[in-house]
């Protein structure tokens, strides 16, 4: 009998389109572009001048898996807080600059890993490009040219009538050309829109027109559910085409939620080794167990386990045994009991009341055997 290797591979085995070839920049110690993995970003919601609160939120984001963090710099007090934040942050800090070009120089002097500028709302920005390019080049600080539909330059709005993909791309490439005139190409670009279709088309055009690394984002995406859907759709399309070097999921929700969604998007596309993943069905009349409750309890019990296990939580006779058998660890539940599978073999049958504790015990035992074989978290597959 041929032995079939079951369970999750150490690294994703399949991918979609080849990654777009882009030049690489360094945002602090995080490579962006080239053949670097797609990185996940977020932005603090604290008043940047409140250094303790901002650092606390950065620490929370770091723990959630954030790789680069952006902080708003709308005032002089915020600008003056940057050195202390940069010095104590565990991940690279990007200064987000609007309206006042002088804060760009403050951010560079403060040691920020990069500076985001919005050409559409910085007064006399084009006149400052030479000075900004010189200062950024001298400090080795990349610039993100961040074009937003809501703050597009008036001349482009007059030309196109609204924030079309063409308008967004023209704005970004125009600003790039001004930096290029001064020999500065340490640039990353974003062209964000709240409509995923417009956003996707803008990035497609941008990707074909330049080789700069691209930061993906659906701006003003909305509350958690709506924003997650819009971001997942837009990012999924672009990343599946090989477009995108770093992402930020914009949600009207705590920043750590943005990181969770962003990581899950990358894992779903095999652009990052999978960690905790819950795949659950809507259940149906065949289910002989409360799948929602069982999956939630198993997920909570396995949260934080740092090895690549696939755990299947199944609740009907149609798909249950097969799915449980294909996982590293699984249960096929029904009729008040559950068959426990480990790597394709039934090892025991337990009462329904003991399914959760049994799965957790077996997962911990497998984790102990797999220690040092990687650092994603447990995968939970819940179905009917």
């Amino acid at each position: 009998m041929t032995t079939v290797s079951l369970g999750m591979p150490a690294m994703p085995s399949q991918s979609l389109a080849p990654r777009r070839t882009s030049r690489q920049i360094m945002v602090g110690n995080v490579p962006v572009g080239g053949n670097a993995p797609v990185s996940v970003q977020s932005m603090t919601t604290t008043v940047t001048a409140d250094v303790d609160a901002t650092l606390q939120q950065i620490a929370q984001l770091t723990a959630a898996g954030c790789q680069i963090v952006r902080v708003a710099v709308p005032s002089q007090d915020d600008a003056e807080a940057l050195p202390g934040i940069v010095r104590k942050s565990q991940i690279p800090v990007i200064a987000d600059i609007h309206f006042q070009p002088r804060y760009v120089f403050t951010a560079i002097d403060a040691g920020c890993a990069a500076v985001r500028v919005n050409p559409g709302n910085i007064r006399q920005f084009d006149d400052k490009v030479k000075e900004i390019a010189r200062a950024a080049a001298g400090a080795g600080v990349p610039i993100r040219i961040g074009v937003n539909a809501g703050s597009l330059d008036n001349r482009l709005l007059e030309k196109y009538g609204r924030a079309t993909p063409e308008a967004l791309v023209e704005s970004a490439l125009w600003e790039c050309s001004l930096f290029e005139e001064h020999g500065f190409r340490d640039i990353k670009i974003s062209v964000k829109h709240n409509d995923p279709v417009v956003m996707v088309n803008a990035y497609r055009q941008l990707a074909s027109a330049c080789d700069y690394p691209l930061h993906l984002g659906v701006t003003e995406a909305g509350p958690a559910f709506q924003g997650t859907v819009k971001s997942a759709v837009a990012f999924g399309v672009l990343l599946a085409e090989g477009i995108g070097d770093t992402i930020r999921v914009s949600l009207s929700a705590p920043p750590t939620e943005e990181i969770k969604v962003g990581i899950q998007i990358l894992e779903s596309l095999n652009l990052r080794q999978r960690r905790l993943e819950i795949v659950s069905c809507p259940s149906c009349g065949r289910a002989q167990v409360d799948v929602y409750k069982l999956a939630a309890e198993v997920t909570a019990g396995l949260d934080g386990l740092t090895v690549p296990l696939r755990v299947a939580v199944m609740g009907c006779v149609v798909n249950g045994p097969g799915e449980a058998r294909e996982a590293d660890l699984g249960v096929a539940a029904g009729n008040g009991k559950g068959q426990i599978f480990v790597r394709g073999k039934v090892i025991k049958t337990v009462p329904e009341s003991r399914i959760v504790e049994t799965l957790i015990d077996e997962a911990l035992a497998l984790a102990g055997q797999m220690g040092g074989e990687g650092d994603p978290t447990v995968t939970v597959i819940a179905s009917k």
Side-chain angles (χ1 to χ4, degrees):
M1 179 178 179
T2 302
T3 300
V4 178
S5 177
L6 302 173
M8 183 173 293
M11 292 296 291
S13 58
Q14 296 183 353
S15 60
L16 299 170
R19 290 279 300 281
R20 161 182 171 265
T21 301
S22 63
R23 67 173 65 224
Q24 188 173 96
I25 65 171
M26 293 298 298
V27 180
N29 61 357
V30 178
V32 174
N35 60 358
V38 179
S39 56
V40 181
Q41 303 186 23
S42 185
M43 187 172 183
T44 56
T45 58
T46 56
V47 175
T48 303
D50 187 341
V51 174
D52 289 342
T54 300
L55 285 171
Q56 182 176 9
Q57 193 168 82
I58 290 174
Q60 293 168 349
L61 285 165
T62 303
C66 184
Q67 295 165 280
I68 300 170
V69 66
R70 186 156 44 107
V71 299
V73 189
S75 72
Q76 184 63 37
D77 287 344
D78 298 316
E80 291 174 356
L82 289 174
I85 293 170
V86 169
R87 186 169 58 252
K88 294 184 179 180
S89 174
Q90 293 179 296
I91 57 178
V93 175
I94 297 177
D96 191 68
I97 309 296
H98 298 267
F99 305 112
Q100 295 292 343
R102 70 177 186 273
Y103 296 153
V104 175
F105 303 103
T106 304
I108 291 171
D109 291 340
C112 288
V115 176
R116 181 274 174 111
V117 295
N118 187 341
N121 64 18
I122 294 183
R123 292 190 294 272
Q124 300 177 330
F125 178 78
D126 291 356
D127 297 336
K128 298 289 185 181
V129 168
K130 181 178 180 179
E131 295 175 57
I132 292 172
R134 181 184 301 150
V141 174
I143 299 290
R144 170 154 79 90
I145 295 175
V147 178
N148 270 27
S151 54
L152 196 62
D153 189 279
N154 284 332
R155 63 185 174 82
L156 290 169
L157 287 175
E158 292 174 4
K159 177 178 178 179
Y160 290 97
R162 64 186 189 281
T164 63
E166 293 77 14
L168 296 170
V169 171
E170 183 173 327
S171 175
L173 293 179
W174 168 255
E175 299 302 336
C176 285
S177 72
L178 298 180
F179 278 95
E180 289 166 355
E181 287 179 4
H182 304 290
F184 188 86
R185 291 180 172 80
D186 207 5
I187 296 170
K188 176 176 61 177
I189 308 176
S190 64
V191 283
K192 296 186 178 183
H193 198 287
N194 58 49
D195 184 330
V197 175
V198 176
M199 175 268 199
V200 165
N201 285 327
Y203 277 100
R204 282 172 170 165
Q205 292 181 26
L206 191 60
S208 66
C210 70
D211 68 348
Y212 289 115
L214 304 181
H215 170 72
L216 304 186
V218 178
T219 190
E220 294 99 33
F225 176 75
Q226 175 181 296
T228 294
V229 172
K230 291 170 74 171
S231 297
V233 167
F235 293 3
V237 169
L238 290 168
L239 292 168
E241 296 175 3
I243 298 171
D245 301 288
T246 180
I247 64 173
R248 188 251 173 128
V249 177
S250 298
L251 301 177
S252 299
T256 52
E257 294 302 308
E258 298 183 349
I259 300 304
K260 293 176 184 177
V261 174
I263 289 174
Q264 188 64 59
I265 290 171
L266 296 182
E267 291 177 358
S268 297
L269 293 169
N270 281 343
L271 291 171
R272 175 178 290 224
Q273 190 171 11
R274 294 172 186 259
R275 303 194 306 173
L276 180 62
E277 179 186 14
I278 302 172
V279 181
S280 61
C281 75
S283 194
C284 72
R286 294 193 303 266
Q288 298 173 334
V289 68
D290 187 340
V291 176
Y292 306 151
K293 180 174 181 290
L294 191 61
E297 291 177 351
V298 172
T299 301
L302 297 178
D303 186 29
L305 201 60
T306 57
V307 291
L309 288 176
R310 173 179 279 132
V311 181
V313 182
M314 311 299 295
C316 89
V317 297
V318 175
N319 297 319
E323 291 288 350
R325 187 176 294 112
E326 288 296 315
D328 293 305
L329 171 64
V331 61
N335 295 323
K337 58 187 177 181
Q339 282 189 315
I340 306 298
F341 291 76
V342 173
R343 302 242 162 90
K345 296 181 179 180
V346 177
I347 63 164
K348 65 180 74 171
T349 299
V350 299
E352 184 177 322
S353 61
R354 292 191 54 221
I355 288 175
V356 173
E357 65 177 281
T358 303
L359 286 176
I360 293 173
D361 288 344
E362 295 296 334
L364 293 176
L366 287 171
Q369 297 170 18
M370 299 171 67
E373 292 186 12
D375 197 16
T377 46
V378 171
T379 300
V380 177
I381 302 178
S383 187
K384 60 190 178 188

